[in-house]
Amino acid sequence: MSFRSARDHEGDLELGADVVVVGSGASGAVVAHELQRSGQRVVVLEEGPRIPADDYSKMSISESLRHMWRDGGMTVAAGVGDSPMINVTMGRVVGGSSVLTGGVCFRTPERVLSNWQREHGLPSFGAASMEGAFDYVEEKVHVETVPESMRSKATTLFDRGMKKRGLALEPLRRNTEGCRGCGRCNFGCPEKAKLSVDISFLPQAVEAGAEVVSHCLVEKVLSKRGRAMGVQGRVLNGPGGRPGGKLKVHARRVVVACGAWHTPLLLRKSGIGRRSKALGKRMTLHPGCRMMARFDEKVEGWKGAMQSAFSDAFEARGLTLVSVFIPPSVVGATLPGIGAEHQRHAQMLPNIAMFGGMIHDEGGGTVRRGPGREPVVTYRMAPRDRGRVRDLVRTLGEVYLDAGAKEIFPPVLGLPGGLDADAFRSLDLDAIPLSRFEVTSQHPLGTARMGPDGKHAVVDAHGEAFDLEELYVVDGSIVPTSLGVNPQLSIMALATRLAWEMRERPLPA
Amino acid sequence: MSLPLPADAVRPDWRMSPRFRRAARAIAEALFYEGQRAPSAEHLDWLMGEVEAFLGHAGGRSRAVFRASVLALTTLAPPAVGKAPPLARLDPATRAHAIERFEATPLGLAVLGAKAILCIHHYDAPSVRADLGLDGKCLTEVAP
């Protein structure tokens, strides 16, 4: 079969398959691959376009944002109470957010899995039982350790500060092969060295006979007598990519993999999860901040792996520090000042280092139906997590000062430019409302969580919805708690395990 | 500067109105005003073209954010320095000062929407990158 664009299809589109997978990101691609290769006919539907790696590898930052990111990167969770507005970045392209990650691959920490077993009624999710799925995915997407030689100078400088505190960075693992350290993984790898699912799982699924159809907006899961029968929605073949013809896919099994932002919306529109208290609630985001620091020496932080090292030394305080350097044009957008002051800071760009971190949040996100096609997402940060955001900013700044930074640029809107050590240390972060902090997230999770019963969860331990037979959810929305680490590999391994179980369950007649 | 559209990309049918373009351009001119030197008219034309292409593709939400931000700056920033709106009437230095003052107010978050989109495009311009020494090179010629 093939990759196919519904944009060029005139009128309505009706398809049939054994399994329809809604969403072509990390989880949907894995499930499509496993099921198609087991002999089931799979159709994958994707709302965004298909941009081949040959195309996105040449794109400017703006082109990547406009063609591959949802809302051009402007998606936000609105802060409620004393909470920051959180910019949540997601892909809207064949391959989903996997095309736009830094490639970071962590296995789900054992303490998290133990917690799922003990506290969330999921006794089968031990580390040993997940090992086969992790091994399999890591081999398929070539997970490798980032060598120290690939670290950017921004990361090396941060490591210098950590060492002064008797700590050290540890190398990250990523799904790459042939990385040259171009520092822009999250705008589509310019070297095609990141084995995102558009390069790994999806082409293999297509080779085995799966069909991947872009520009398909799924609005509802169809059901009959308590069983999922397919999906319906709109083909985005209208003017300017707006909804045009009707879309209908008949299938014996429906797999939802739209991500934690959109899955609850689709389920709710389909009348699923109504009795559950969990649908669309308690979304965790791993809210994160980036700290910029100016050094006297040239840093040129874009030279090196965008993400190469991390530290869990502050794990007990709920913080994970992870290296990151975003392309200079995006750094420029976060530089303080307007006019001459802004330009003065822009001259410093080659001397700016950056490091990031995220907090292990309790989960205060809520997904609601919005006025248009997109959900409205709010986030009420727990009091404990508010302290963690400030702790993160302080920690990142202190480490860079220990490394010899001359100026620190805290991620706080409206501050008057770079702060020297004294100014930073005397800055009363507790007095600044969190709404002025620049907080980002790439890890929405947990809005249709799995669990032992339909009151507190939406799907069971096999990913099947409590409310509808043959409807499975396999994406990050089923993750029951914050992971505290980048979730890409966990999501893929979880989807693999669920796909293996699905493979063994006969399709209904 | 933009590449040809990928085959499967959406063909946008959205354009900035002339009035909105003037307002956005005035903000860009102030944002990148340097000492006594404003960015060239050619650069601002190019920048507006890129921003328009971006907003055309990126969808209704990003357009709404940018529009709201431009509208807020156009009408609310001038009073921050005791001037009457619209912002475009002021000279670039006063405009920059007005936006800076407005940014420090509780409504200052509105600056971020326009600033982010304008900066991402401005700093991607080859001439600007060259001026700032942003060579965009990778760390190694060949993978280790």
Side-chain angles (χ1 to χ4, degrees):
Chain A
M1 295 299 275
S2 61
F3 289 102
R4 174 178 170 187
S5 173
R7 189 175 61 82
D8 300 324
H9 179 90
E10 283 188 22
D12 301 343
L13 179 63
E14 194 160 349
L15 300 167
D18 291 330
V19 182
V20 59
V21 179
V22 186
S24 69
S27 59
V30 168
V31 170
H33 176 269
E34 296 308 304
L35 298 186
Q36 182 68 45
R37 287 173 78 93
S38 74
Q40 299 176 8
R41 287 182 307 121
V42 177
V43 167
V44 181
L45 303 175
E46 167 58 48
E47 183 190 350
R50 178 177 178 241
I51 311 288
D54 281 338
D55 285 347
Y56 68 63
S57 62
K58 300 186 190 85
M59 282 180 174
S60 68
I61 301 303
S62 166
E63 287 167 323
S64 168
L65 283 167
R66 69 181 87 151
H67 294 305
M68 303 205 292
W69 293 51
R70 185 167 291 280
D71 301 325
M74 308 286 280
T75 316
V76 294
V80 178
D82 183 21
S83 305
M85 181 180 78
I86 303 177
N87 177 214
V88 185
T89 54
M90 286 170 280
R92 185 178 174 274
V93 65
V94 169
S97 299
S98 84
V99 183
L100 309 175
T101 69
V104 176
C105 290
F106 280 101
R107 289 193 177 198
T108 314
E110 281 195 35
R111 63 181 159 71
V112 173
L113 290 172
S114 301
N115 177 253
W116 294 4
Q117 289 180 298
R118 281 194 326 269
E119 309 288 335
H120 294 270
L122 298 165
S124 64
F125 280 86
S129 69
M130 288 296 293
E131 195 168 336
F134 277 118
D135 288 345
Y136 175 75
V137 173
E138 287 180 5
E139 194 260 325
K140 293 290 286 182
V141 298
H142 199 267
V143 176
E144 60 180 1
T145 300
V146 186
E148 273 198 37
S149 61
M150 289 304 288
R151 289 184 183 179
S152 69
K153 195 162 181 185
T155 300
T156 308
L157 286 166
F158 195 83
D159 196 32
R160 187 198 288 173
M162 289 287 281
K163 282 188 172 127
K164 285 204 172 162
R165 302 177 149 231
L167 304 167
L169 293 178
E170 295 174 52
L172 281 170
R173 296 192 311 148
R174 298 183 308 160
N175 55 328
T176 53
E177 189 169 24
C179 171
R180 295 203 296 120
C182 305
R184 48 159 292 174
C185 314
N186 58 344
F187 293 89
C189 178
E191 295 292 312
K192 294 173 269 181
K194 181 175 68 187
L195 299 188
S196 42
V197 295
D198 61 311
I199 291 180
S200 52
F201 279 96
L202 281 175
Q204 290 174 26
V206 166
E207 195 181 312
E211 188 168 14
V212 180
V213 192
S214 56
H215 297 285
C216 290
L217 177 69
V218 174
E219 295 176 323
K220 194 176 176 188
V221 176
L222 299 170
S223 62
K224 200 171 179 183
R225 292 191 207 96
R227 180 190 290 171
M229 303 293 284
V231 296
Q232 72 176 32
R234 302 292 292 275
V235 184
L236 300 178
N237 57 0
R242 287 189 282 276
K246 289 177 184 162
L247 169 73
K248 199 168 201 177
V249 180
H250 306 275
R252 295 197 278 170
R253 184 169 281 165
V254 176
V255 176
V256 174
C258 314
W261 206 262
H262 291 88
T263 287
L265 206 61
L266 174 59
L267 297 185
R268 188 164 285 142
K269 278 184 187 172
S270 310
I272 296 152
R274 281 190 179 149
R275 69 193 167 106
S276 169
K277 290 178 179 169
L279 186 65
K281 307 273 177 60
R282 293 187 62 199
M283 173 192 270
T284 63
L285 286 174
H286 291 160
C289 293
R290 293 183 286 250
M291 175 65 79
M292 296 191 291
R294 182 185 67 76
F295 285 80
D296 281 342
E297 62 204 281
K298 267 204 171 165
V299 178
E300 297 185 325
W302 57 89
K303 292 179 182 169
M306 194 192 93
Q307 298 196 271
S308 60
F310 78 105
S311 170
D312 57 6
F314 305 96
E315 170 68 43
R317 282 152 49 185
L319 313 178
T320 303
L321 310 188
V322 187
S323 71
V324 68
F325 197 92
I326 51 177
S329 56
V330 187
V331 179
T334 62
L335 288 172
I338 305 289
E341 183 68 356
H342 182 75
Q343 292 304 300
R344 187 177 72 78
H345 290 128
Q347 297 296 329
M348 299 173 182
L349 274 170
N351 294 54
I352 297 261
M354 178 184 290
F355 210 87
M358 58 190 172
I359 67 169
H360 311 184
D361 58 330
E362 278 185 8
T366 304
V367 180
R368 294 183 182 87
R369 197 169 170 174
R373 289 181 348 213
E374 291 294 313
V376 170
V377 179
T378 55
Y379 189 84
R380 182 185 291 276
M381 190 170 265
R384 182 199 71 177
D385 295 340
R386 291 178 209 154
R388 286 179 171 179
V389 170
R390 295 181 171 105
D391 187 15
L392 176 62
V393 171
R394 269 188 215 105
T395 304
L396 292 168
E398 288 292 347
V399 174
Y400 261 142
L401 286 172
D402 285 349
K406 298 300 176 204
E407 278 183 293
I408 293 290
F409 295 85
V412 178
L413 294 168
L415 280 186
L419 306 176
D420 62 19
D422 289 342
F424 178 69
R425 285 174 180 142
S426 62
L427 181 67
D428 185 4
L429 287 172
D430 294 330
I432 301 173
L434 272 184
S435 57
R436 297 199 76 87
F437 282 63
E438 290 175 43
V439 181
T440 60
S441 163
Q442 292 76 36
H443 308 157
L445 299 170
T447 50
R449 60 192 53 202
M450 59 180 171
D453 64 77
K455 193 175 172 192
H456 301 99
V458 178
V459 298
D460 64 17
H462 308 289
E464 190 171 21
F466 286 108
D467 289 2
L468 193 61
E469 282 179 35
E470 296 303 335
L471 171 68
Y472 291 82
V473 182
V474 297
D475 56 36
S477 60
I478 65 172
V479 173
T481 64
S482 171
L483 298 174
V485 294
N486 303 49
Q488 176 182 234
L489 189 67
S490 294
I491 289 170
M492 292 173 89
L494 205 51
T496 299
R497 173 180 158 143
L498 299 179
W500 288 349
E501 290 175 355
M502 262 184 252
R503 205 171 56 183
E504 302 307 317
R505 299 175 96 170
L507 287 162
Chain B
M1 181 190 157
S2 296
L3 295 167
L5 273 186
D8 198 26
V10 167
R11 270 71 177 151
D13 58 355
W14 180 86
R15 292 280 177 271
M16 281 186 200
S17 70
R19 190 174 169 186
F20 181 70
R21 180 184 287 262
R22 277 196 299 278
R25 188 185 162 110
I27 293 166
E29 192 177 18
L31 182 55
F32 306 118
Y33 182 76
E34 192 177 0
Q36 300 305 307
R37 192 160 60 94
S40 70
E42 293 76 24
H43 177 73
L44 290 172
D45 287 342
W46 170 87
L47 183 60
M48 286 301 112
E50 284 292 296
V51 169
E52 184 176 68
F54 168 81
L55 293 173
H57 284 96
R61 278 204 179 183
S62 54
R63 286 198 287 274
V65 168
F66 190 69
R67 273 180 164 152
S69 183
V70 167
L71 181 67
L73 288 175
T74 299
T75 55
L76 301 178
V81 288
K83 304 281 183 186
L87 187 71
R89 270 200 205 145
L90 311 180
D91 65 82
T94 313
R95 250 181 267 161
H97 184 48
I99 297 172
E100 204 156 44
R101 292 284 291 271
F102 178 64
E103 194 180 26
T105 70
L107 292 173
L109 197 63
V111 177
L112 190 61
K115 188 174 171 182
I117 289 176
L118 292 169
C119 282
I120 284 170
H121 293 88
H122 169 78
Y123 289 111
D124 242 4
S127 58
V128 175
R129 295 174 64 90
D131 276 354
L132 294 173
L134 310 174
D135 60 17
K137 286 184 180 162
C138 304
L139 181 65
T140 61
E141 287 300 314
V142 289

